[in-house]
Amino acid sequence: MEKIIEELKLIVGKKGWLAVEDAPELLGDITGSGEDCLLVLRPESTEEVSRITAVCCANGIAIIPQGGNTNLCRMAIPTEKSPTIVLSLKRMNRIIDLNVANATVTVEAGCVMQVLQETAAQNGLLFAPDWGARGAATVGGAVGTNGGGLNVLRYGTTREQVLGLEVVLPDGRVWNGLRRLIKDNSGFDLKQLFIGSEGTLGIITKLAFKLHPEQAVSQSMLVALSDVSRLIELYQLGRQIAGERLTAFELMPGIGIEKALQRYPDIKRPMETRADWYVLIRMSDRSSVEEHLMALFEKGSYSEVIADGVLASSGTQERNLWELREQMIPHQYFKGYTMLKWDVSVSVDRISDFLVAAQAKVHGLCSDAICYAVSHVGDGNIHYTAYLDPEVGKTGIKDEIYDVIDELIWSFGGSVVAEHGVGALFRDQVRRQKSDVEYDLLTRVKETFDPQGVMNPGKMLFDR
Ligand SMILES: Cc1cc2nc3c(=O)[nH]c(=O)nc-3n(C[C@H](O)[C@H](O)[C@H](O)COP(=O)(O)OP(=O)(O)OC[C@H]3O[C@@H](n4cnc5c(N)ncnc54)[C@H](O)[C@@H]3O)c2cc1C
């Protein structure tokens, strides 16, 4: 093994590798530390990636592609006991070509999302994927997870932004699918298999994305809901009034707002009214959207869907509202509790029903559990968490709650995994969700691309 490690080090040169003890932050994540690994490789080019994968594949060494390691599901760290290397793409971070006329950009996989967003904006264009980890997450990781985030309502998920990919296959071959075509019905659309594949099929080295005209004006409004059962009524009203101008519609829990205001004194309380649920609404266009927001507020108040609201009238107020949204991350507020979490997907019209039913189920098993939910409403996506007293968390109740909520999600025709992906964390739950036919097809795809099972073993649906 030592000879192979030396060979890998030689491929990338002195700056291209890190010893395990020098890279603890790359070998664990938000969920805890991972299994042992041989070393971290940080290649600079597609050619180096290709040579690394060929050596690893020939010697049965597992490869874990890693971008910013900001995923939330144990997805980019070693989780199996086998000889493994972590392959960090972070040095491959160039923007190769931004074509304003085509509104496309070609970029290396390790480019940080925010860097690409800012570069696009300097050219009057918008790179649509956006979420709280924008300063650390890479575009390769965004595509590896098919990230969702705050702009899906208007622009779709990351998948919808991808025009082409260059991918290094586990055996070292390079697939150049780096096309920038809108239409290309020349066979199976292979790039779709790599999008959301969580590093289990190959290593994305370059990407071509579509960009959008930048929306010059955007304005946000926070409203307190009279009752969560009226959420979809408000959403429909927003769509009727604003159409495509409605670019974000985010449900936030009152408990999260209070916790964020306590913890972050720089965030100003937006309104005095206290409610169980709030919605942060953003509209965007090339000219003012204020009249649409006002119309929504007036109609929503008249029909008593909205209990109170505040319209951001300056950039500072707008940032304050969005800072509040970004601090809806619950684990920072419930340290020491046992956390149970789901990244639920249901059809949009059933979100309120799901929230009510899930709380009843959780409280039926553990009456003092804290239920906490944040939702990208337009995407039917609910980040659902339940926090248990640590002593209760050690008992079988935890598994019972997981089972009951999984069953509830499936009875709603939903998925236990929406935008965050599967990783090692949700693998067993997701397996139960798949029919035999679907599981068989997915396994065969994996075997076609990675017959030796070296790509990110233990993730998604696969043991190896
Ligand atoms: C504060 C915060 C907010 C977040 N909000 C959202 C949100 O709203 N929506 C959302 O969808 N996610 C969200 N996330 C999750 C996370 O940011 C995304 O999953 C992101 O896409 C991961 O990018 P990354 O570069 O960190 O990838 P990593 O975490 O490094 O990797 C993610 C997966 O992609 C694979 N991968 C990485 N690079 C490549 C490559 N070049 N080729 C092949 N596979 C690769 C990895 O093996 C792994 O399976 C949030 C995370 C945080 C910390």
Side-chain angles (χ1 to χ4, degrees), residues 224-232 275-277 304-307 352 356:
L225 273 183
S226 59
D227 192 280
V228 74
S229 64
R230 307 202 59 190
L231 173 70
I232 300 309
D276 287 341
W277 296 98
E304 297 183 353
V305 179
I306 294 178
S352 309
V356 173

Side-chain angles (χ1 to χ4, degrees), residues 65 67-71 75 131 133 138 141-142 145 147-149 198-199 204 419 456:
N69 199 19
T70 67
N71 73 86
M75 215 185 255
W131 53 82
T138 63
T145 51
E198 302 184 1
I204 302 166
E419 64 179 5
N456 211 359

Side-chain angles (χ1 to χ4, degrees), residues 108-143:
E108 286 183 329
C111 179
V112 169
M113 280 171 58
Q114 190 170 355
V115 172
L116 184 50
Q117 288 169 345
E118 288 171 0
T119 308
Q122 283 156 16
N123 289 276
L125 293 165
L126 175 89
F127 176 64
D130 187 37
W131 53 82
R134 63 183 74 78
T138 63
V139 293
V143 171

Side-chain angles (χ1 to χ4, degrees), residues 184-203:
D184 179 13
N185 287 346
S186 60
F188 294 131
D189 190 356
L190 280 183
K191 69 175 180 295
Q192 299 298 348
L193 289 172
F194 292 100
I195 302 171
S197 65
E198 302 184 1
T200 61
L201 300 182
I203 297 146

